[in-house]
Amino acid sequence: MTSASRSLKGYSRIVVKIGSALLVERGELKRGWLDALVSDLAGLVESGAEILIVSSGSIALGRGILGLPAGPLKLEESQAAAAAGQIALAQAYADALGAHGKKAGQILLTLGDTEERRRYLNARATIGMLFKLGAVPIINENDSVATSEIRYGDNDRLAARVATMASADCLVLLSDIDGLYTAPPQQDPDAVFLPEVARITPEIEAMAGSAGSELSRGGMKTKIDAGKIATAAGTSMVITSGKELHPLKRLDEGGRGTWFPAIATPASARKAWIGGHLEPRGRVVLDAGAVRAMKSGKSLLPAGVTSVTGTFTRGDAVILLTPEGGVIGRGLVAYDADEAELIAGRNSREIEAIVGYPGRAEMIHRDDLVLEDAFLNGTG
C-alpha cells in the first residue's frame, strides 16, 4: 500500500503507540480509557488485523505505586519506578485483553535491540511467534535498565523502529493533539490543520513543535521524526488524538488525524535494505534443489547448502551462490559461521543434536532473502 488508507481496516498489521499522559493520571491507571481502547483493538483483530502495542506509562505508573514525588526524577528513581510500573502495566493489558478473549505478551526493548542485527532478528522472531500464537505483543522501552546514553528518549521513535522491525503497514500515534498543524494551535489561532502530509520536507519539520507534557518526553518533533523512519520503511503513519474514549473507532469513522503515506511497502523497503545497505560477511553455496526452492519463494533450509565461507554472525548478510558460482541474491543468516558449516547439508530435524540447542529450521528465512533480478527473470 503506497498511499495511506483513511480507514484502519485497510491495513493488515497495525502498531499503536500510547503515551503516558493518555494512560496514567496522577500515578493511577486510567482503566476506563484502557478498556475502551482495548475494545477498539479487539474489533480490529476480529476484522483480520494483527495488532502490536507500544506503550509508555511504566515510569508514570510506578511513580504512583512507589510514592515518588512529582517533578523530575533521578535516573535510578526512574529505573525503579519503571521496574514497579512494568509489572502493573503488563497485568493491566493482560486483564483488559483477556476480557475480549485475547492474550498479551510483553517485550521490553532497548535501542540496541533494534540497531544490532542479532538482537533485531531475535526481537522480530519473538513478535512473529506471538502473532502466530494469536497474542498481542505489548512493547515498551526497557526503562528499568536503560540509561540516558542508550535510551530512545521517546516512544514515538521506538514505535517507528518497532513498526519497521515487525513489517507493519500502519503506525498510529495516539497523542494529546489531533494531528499536525502549520503552527502550534494553542499559540496561533490562524494555524491550519493538515489532513495529509505526502512527504516530510524541511518545511514540514519546521512546523513541528518540541514541547512535551510533564509525563511525556515526546512532542510533535519526535512524531515527525517517527514519520520519517516509518514511511521510508513502508509503514503509513497517522497522528490522532487519544484523549477521548475509543480513539481508534473514532478515527475509523472519519475522526480527525494527519496521515503520512508510506513511500513503499514494508516488504519492498526491507528487501531494499537487505539488498543494498548491508555489507555481506560470507558466501553460501546452494545445491540445485535449493536454487529451485529460492526461485519459488521458499526459505533456505540447511539441507540445501553445500558449502559456507566467511566470518559472520547471526543476523549478518551473506551472498547466495548457485552450484556453478553464480550470484542468486543475499540474505540475513540465522546462524553463526561455525554453526552454519556444521549444519550445512543436514536435515533441520538434526539441528538441535548438532549445535546443542533447538535452532531455527531455516538457514535464511524467506522474509530475510532478496534475490537478484536476473535470477528471478530466469537469466541468472
Side-chain angles (χ1 to χ4, degrees):
M1 186 177 301
T2 56
S3 63
S5 165
R6 295 299 177 85
S7 168
L8 293 177
K9 292 184 175 64
Y11 297 98
S12 59
R13 182 170 288 182
I14 303 167
V15 174
V16 179
K17 182 265 177 180
I18 301 160
S20 297
L22 298 175
L23 192 59
V24 181
E25 189 171 38
R26 291 189 288 274
E28 296 285 337
L29 186 73
K30 296 162 67 174
R31 291 191 178 274
W33 184 91
L34 178 60
D35 289 342
L37 175 78
V38 169
S39 175
D40 292 353
L41 295 174
L44 289 170
V45 172
E46 293 301 324
S47 70
E50 293 175 319
I51 302 296
L52 192 155
I53 299 170
V54 176
S55 179
S56 302
S58 61
I59 292 176
L61 194 56
R63 181 198 288 268
I65 292 169
L66 298 178
L68 290 166
L73 297 176
K74 297 176 183 176
L75 176 60
E76 59 269 25
E77 290 176 328
S78 293
Q79 291 171 326
Q86 281 162 359
I87 296 172
L89 193 61
Q91 187 62 57
Y93 276 112
D95 291 346
L97 286 163
H100 293 271
K102 311 299 179 188
K103 299 179 179 68
Q106 185 189 43
I107 305 174
L108 300 176
L109 296 179
T110 61
L111 177 61
D113 296 317
T114 63
E115 300 298 329
E116 199 271 318
R117 284 196 295 277
R118 175 189 288 262
R119 287 150 66 188
Y120 173 99
L121 285 182
N122 284 335
R124 178 178 165 88
T126 302
I127 291 169
M129 183 54 68
L130 285 170
F131 282 140
K132 187 175 180 181
L133 296 172
V136 176
I138 312 293
I139 293 180
N140 197 352
E141 186 176 4
N142 195 358
D143 288 312
S144 60
V145 299
T147 70
S148 57
E149 288 79 21
I150 65 171
R151 67 188 304 123
Y152 279 91
D154 68 87
N155 274 2
D156 294 323
R157 282 185 289 239
L158 174 60
R161 293 291 187 195
V162 167
T164 64
M165 176 192 290
S167 297
D169 50 3
C170 186
L171 167 62
V172 181
L173 299 184
L174 293 179
S175 176
D176 56 1
I177 191 170
D178 55 9
L180 179 65
Y181 290 75
T182 54
Q186 305 92 332
Q187 302 168 17
D188 186 348
D190 297 323
V192 177
F193 175 77
L194 302 177
E196 181 170 311
V197 174
R199 186 166 162 269
I200 297 174
T201 62
E203 290 77 15
I204 293 294
E205 292 186 75
M207 294 175 189
S210 59
S213 71
E214 178 190 352
L215 295 177
S216 172
R217 293 191 296 268
M220 189 56 70
K221 182 182 185 301
T222 65
K223 291 171 175 55
I224 297 303
D225 290 342
K228 290 166 67 176
I229 295 168
T231 56
T235 304
S236 293
M237 189 181 88
V238 57
I239 301 170
T240 190
S241 173
K243 291 199 290 189
E244 298 178 11
L245 296 181
H246 297 287
L248 301 180
K249 181 181 179 183
R250 178 186 52 77
L251 180 67
D252 235 8
E253 293 174 348
R256 181 175 274 197
T258 299
W259 290 85
F260 298 77
I263 297 171
T265 66
S268 65
R270 180 169 172 77
K271 299 288 186 181
W273 174 65
I274 294 170
H277 297 286
L278 297 177
E279 185 70 27
R281 302 291 184 184
R283 300 164 80 85
V284 175
V285 180
L286 316 186
D287 63 22
V291 169
R292 288 193 296 272
M294 294 296 96
K295 196 164 187 176
S296 66
K298 301 285 179 57
S299 297
L300 174 61
L301 302 178
V305 176
T306 59
S307 68
V308 175
T309 58
T311 304
F312 54 84
T313 59
R314 181 171 184 270
D316 282 340
V318 294
I319 292 176
L320 305 176
L321 303 172
T322 66
E324 299 76 32
V327 176
I328 297 172
R330 64 175 67 187
L332 304 184
V333 68
Y335 289 90
D336 294 347
D338 56 346
E339 294 176 337
E341 287 185 52
L342 289 173
I343 64 175
R346 308 296 288 269
N347 191 288
S348 294
R349 291 190 296 271
E350 302 176 83
I351 290 175
E352 183 172 3
I354 295 170
V355 301
Y357 65 93
R360 306 198 192 286
E362 308 89 359
M363 180 83 77
I364 302 176
H365 192 276
R366 63 185 180 184
D367 290 345
D368 298 324
L369 279 168
V370 58
L371 303 179
E372 295 285 320
D373 289 341
F375 174 74
L376 287 171
N377 294 331
T379 59

